[in-house]
């Protein structure tokens, strides 16, 4: 892949800038090769990341310099394919184990990590939320119906909102939004709606999502773009305003979260000489393309 250049990347993680600029991406290197998720918790000063399939059942707390400061092992959780992290209003973290590249899994789930356990080296998940997509009838479905992978979710007012990653032959950018309650058990995910990203899989397959602390904006991430959803009512997220922002080039960007109402954190996986970074971007410095 070409080297990624963001419209704005801060030279220090918590620095401030008032102008849009282009800075090379080698400012905030991660020691993790496959950072697939990022989240912040109000009870922790660390930035939490996780790795996806084939990696350990651990979450990692990063310091402001992007280095690992603390590690928590989830003793009763297997990393089948951990794809995203989110945090609730109490600071509890949730691990989305719902990566489903081949659309064959019947064990999709979300693990809770209590806020109080983030300071420990080991933790036991007190809650395992299992779910399934009622629209999926075959495992796997036809190649033209590979709609049931997901790498993106957040929690909002007691429910999880999951955005699917379309892997269908003839990709047209369709993303499905599902709702799952934050309760132990095996739940039928509720399809809330669909929207179109763009018809280029490598640039528009959705890889992470988050909602701002004030609940007024949603960020969706792909390898080269961010979509900001706003002006919605309740959880009717798809019927508000949608803006698409370019990130100038494509790396394997896998995680996004709101640091605050106006600031995004993004992580990408390392691939040869690109990626493996933690970025901070002000919403005001993004450039809209639509």
């Amino acid at each position: 892949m070409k080297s990624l250049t963001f419209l704005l990347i801060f030279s220090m993680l918590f620095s401030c800038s008032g102008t849009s600029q282009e800075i090379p991406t080698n400012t905030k290197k991660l020691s993790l090769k496959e950072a697939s998720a990022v989240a912040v918790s109000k009870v922790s000063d660390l930035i939490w990341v996780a790795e996806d399939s084939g990696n350990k059942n651990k979450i990692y707390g990063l310091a402001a310099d992007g280095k690992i400061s603390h590690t928590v092992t989830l003793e009763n959780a297997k990393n089948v394919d951990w794809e995203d992290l989110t945090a609730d209003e109490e600071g509890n973290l949730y691990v989305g184990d719902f990566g489903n590249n081949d659309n064959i899994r019947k064990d999709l789930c979300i693990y809770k990590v209590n806020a109080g356990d983030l300071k420990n080296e080991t933790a036991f998940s007190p809650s395992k939320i299992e779910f399934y997509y009622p629209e999926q009838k075959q495992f796997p479905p036809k190649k033209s119906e590979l709609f049931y992978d997901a790498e993106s979710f957040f929690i909002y007012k007691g429910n999880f909102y999951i955005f699917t990653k379309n892997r269908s032959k003839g990709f047209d950018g369709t993303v499905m939004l599902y709702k799952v309650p934050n309760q132990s058990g095996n739940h039928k995910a509720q399809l809330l709606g669909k929207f179109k990203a763009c018809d280029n899989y490598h640039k528009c397959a959705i890889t992470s999502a988050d909602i701002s602390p004030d609940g007024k904006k949603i960020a969706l991430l792909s390898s080269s773009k961010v979509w900001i959803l706003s002006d919605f009512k309740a959880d009717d997220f798809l019927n508000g305003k949608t803006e698409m922002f370019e990130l100038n080039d494509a790396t394997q960007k896998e995680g996004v979260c709101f640091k605050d109402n106006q600031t995004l954190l993004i992580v990408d996986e390392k691939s040869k000489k690109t990626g493996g970074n933690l970025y901070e971007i002000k919403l005001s410095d993004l450039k809209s393309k639509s």
Side-chain angles (χ1 to χ4, degrees):
M1 294 182 186
K2 297 178 182 178
S3 61
L4 170 68
T5 304
F6 277 94
L7 292 168
L8 179 66
I9 303 173
F10 290 83
S11 60
M12 293 299 292
L13 186 58
F14 297 112
S15 65
C16 296
S17 174
T19 60
S20 181
Q21 54 187 312
E22 295 185 359
I23 300 174
T25 64
N26 57 356
T27 56
K28 197 60 57 183
K29 287 295 182 182
L30 301 176
S31 56
L32 293 170
K33 181 180 179 181
E34 297 187 5
S36 65
V38 62
V40 294
S41 165
K42 62 174 54 179
V43 303
S44 172
D45 293 329
L46 302 177
I47 299 166
W48 293 91
V49 298
E51 296 184 300
D52 55 15
S53 61
N55 290 288
K56 297 179 180 179
N57 53 326
K58 299 176 182 290
I59 56 175
Y60 303 89
L62 307 182
D65 60 2
K67 295 180 180 179
I68 297 173
S69 177
H70 185 62
T71 302
V72 180
T73 300
L74 275 182
E75 295 283 4
N76 60 335
K78 182 180 179 180
N79 187 344
V80 178
D81 195 356
W82 292 6
E83 288 290 357
D84 212 356
L85 294 172
T86 189
D88 64 20
E89 294 182 354
E90 289 74 43
N92 304 302
L93 285 184
Y94 298 85
V95 182
D97 188 357
F98 41 55
N100 191 20
N101 291 9
D102 297 323
N103 283 222
I104 60 175
R105 288 184 64 182
K106 296 183 179 181
D107 59 350
L108 307 173
C109 66
I110 298 164
Y111 294 105
K112 180 180 181 180
V113 185
N114 281 334
D117 285 332
L118 294 179
K119 63 182 182 299
N120 300 329
E121 294 184 357
T122 61
F124 285 84
S125 176
S127 178
K128 182 180 181 181
I129 301 97
E130 299 172 281
F131 68 93
Y132 61 96
Y133 304 109
E135 290 75 22
Q136 183 175 6
K137 306 300 182 184
Q138 296 178 306
F139 298 82
K142 299 176 183 178
K143 290 183 179 180
S144 60
E145 299 175 359
L146 296 175
F147 301 124
Y148 304 104
D149 184 21
E151 298 186 3
S152 316
F153 83 137
F154 57 78
I155 189 169
Y156 177 68
K157 294 187 176 180
N159 293 287
F160 298 105
Y161 295 88
I162 300 168
F163 293 82
T164 60
K165 184 176 184 180
N166 185 344
R167 291 184 176 273
S168 299
K169 182 179 180 180
F171 177 84
D172 67 353
T174 297
V175 180
M176 298 191 292
L177 172 60
Y178 282 92
K179 180 178 180 179
V180 173
N182 182 15
Q183 300 173 3
S184 295
N186 190 20
H187 304 282
K188 178 169 67 175
Q190 178 186 357
L191 179 61
L192 296 183
K194 304 176 183 180
F195 87 101
K196 294 287 184 72
C198 78
D199 60 5
N200 185 321
Y201 174 83
H202 296 291
K203 293 184 178 181
C204 293
I206 302 301
T207 60
S208 187
D210 197 25
I211 192 166
S212 59
D214 61 9
K216 294 183 178 181
K217 297 183 182 68
I218 290 167
L220 302 179
L221 179 71
S222 74
S223 65
S224 64
K225 306 176 192 297
V226 171
W227 290 261
I228 300 296
L229 282 54
S230 61
D231 295 341
F232 46 78
K233 296 181 180 179
D235 64 357
D236 192 13
F237 303 131
L238 302 182
N239 286 315
K241 179 182 179 181
T242 300
E243 296 176 278
M244 185 179 73
F245 301 93
E246 296 286 349
L247 297 177
N248 274 14
D249 206 347
T251 63
Q252 195 169 341
K253 289 185 285 298
E254 294 281 340
V256 66
C257 74
F258 280 90
K259 175 192 160 188
D260 55 44
N261 291 320
Q262 300 299 327
T263 311
L264 296 177
L265 301 177
I266 293 174
V267 294
D268 57 6
E269 294 189 9
K270 183 174 178 58
S271 178
K272 296 182 179 179
K273 295 183 179 181
T274 65
N277 297 312
L278 171 68
Y279 312 99
E280 179 175 328
I281 304 176
K282 289 287 186 183
L283 297 183
S284 59
D285 289 307
L286 294 170
K287 298 296 185 183
S288 180
K289 295 296 182 181
S290 67

